[in-house]
């Protein structure tokens, strides 16, 4: 839309209300008071009675501040709810880790996947025998074992972004990540990444000492030894 405005293709922007334009007060102020004005674009928020070509829009900044406060408050409540679940050892991810399924009776609890749990156990056995992750990945490829991403797409019907060449294109990185994952010990480790703020959804890794770890929340696939 911005490109079309700059190209002179749009004369008016109409929203149901001001919050549909955005809940970031600084961003809304920039578009309504600077960008739209410079481009001679009319902005209308129907339910809020705002029309930048009609004047008398003094209420607009106040509504924008309220919208941002509402978004900030919702964000805090969501973060608090996820943290509470993490402290209880609940699994809140959208996709279960390779080797597990979500318990049909409780979506926050993990149960071993009869199809993939044996593959995970095999990977640990091979690692314990002295094989590196590259050798393990090669063995899985040769045996036609599909990768976790391919499994998620084909068996669970969940589309995931991927860069692999084919369904059995195991990498040593994937193997290493699986055999280092504490979920296979029966533990849940949460809050490993986060967003900068409710305004900036860029994700970053949280320091390891700030992760939330709850032990023995589900059946383990391997022992600590």
């Amino acid at each position: 839309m911005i490109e079309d405005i700059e190209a002179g293709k749009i004369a008016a922007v109409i929203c149901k209300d001001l919050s549909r334009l955005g809940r970031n007060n600084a961003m809304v102020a920039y578009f309504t008071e600077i960008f739209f004005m410079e481009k001679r674009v009319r902005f209308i928020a129907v339910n809020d009675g705002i029309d930048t070509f009609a004047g008398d829009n003094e209420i607009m900044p106040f509504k924008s501040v309220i919208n941002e406060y509402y978004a900030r408050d919702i964000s805090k409540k969501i973060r608090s709810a996820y943290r509470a679940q993490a402290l209880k050892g609940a699994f809140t991810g959208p996709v279960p880790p390779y080797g597990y399924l979500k318990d049909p009776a409780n979506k926050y609890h993990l149960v071993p996947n009869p199809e993939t749990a044996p593959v995970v156990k095999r990977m640990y056995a091979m690692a314990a025998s002295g094989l590196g992750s590259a050798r393990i990945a090669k063995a899985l490829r040769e045996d036609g074992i599909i990768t976790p991403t391919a499994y998620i797409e084909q068996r669970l019907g969940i589309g995931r972004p991927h860069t692999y060449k084919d369904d059995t294109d195991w990498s040593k990185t994937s193997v290493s990540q699986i055999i280092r994952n504490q979920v296979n010990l029966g533990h849940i480790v949460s809050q490993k990444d986060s967003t900068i703020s409710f305004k900036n959804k860029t994700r970053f890794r949280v320091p390891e000492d700030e992760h939330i770890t709850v032990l023995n929340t589900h059946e383990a696939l391997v022992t600590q030894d």
Side-chain angles (χ1 to χ4, degrees), residues 63-187:
K63 286 184 176 290
S64 180
V65 170
I66 292 172
N67 289 336
E68 178 174 311
Y69 174 81
Y70 177 79
R72 187 190 302 272
D73 186 55
I74 291 295
S75 176
K76 286 182 178 179
K77 289 178 179 177
I78 292 174
R79 286 174 183 264
S80 177
Y82 272 113
R83 183 172 180 79
Q85 291 283 55
L87 291 171
K88 292 191 295 186
F91 177 78
T92 58
V95 179
Y98 188 75
Y100 287 94
L101 290 172
K102 290 186 178 183
D103 189 340
N106 179 4
K107 66 179 182 179
Y108 299 114
H109 181 251
L110 296 175
V111 294
N113 183 335
E115 291 186 316
T116 58
V119 179
V120 174
K121 293 179 180 179
R122 176 188 173 190
M123 293 165 66
Y124 277 102
M126 295 172 73
S129 71
L131 293 179
S133 56
R135 291 281 301 278
I136 296 173
K138 180 181 178 181
L140 296 176
R141 287 196 300 269
E142 292 175 345
D143 288 350
I145 308 264
I146 63 174
T147 65
T149 302
Y151 183 86
I152 289 170
E153 292 181 337
Q154 296 177 21
R155 302 289 198 275
L156 304 184
I158 302 174
R160 305 290 285 178
H162 58 75
T163 57
Y164 59 78
K165 301 174 183 176
D166 55 63
D167 292 345
T168 60
D169 186 28
W170 281 86
S171 69
K172 64 178 183 180
T173 300
S174 295
V175 171
S176 179
Q177 288 176 341
I178 290 173
I179 62 179
R180 293 176 183 275
N181 193 340
Q182 292 191 55
V183 73
N184 298 313
L185 294 172
H187 312 329

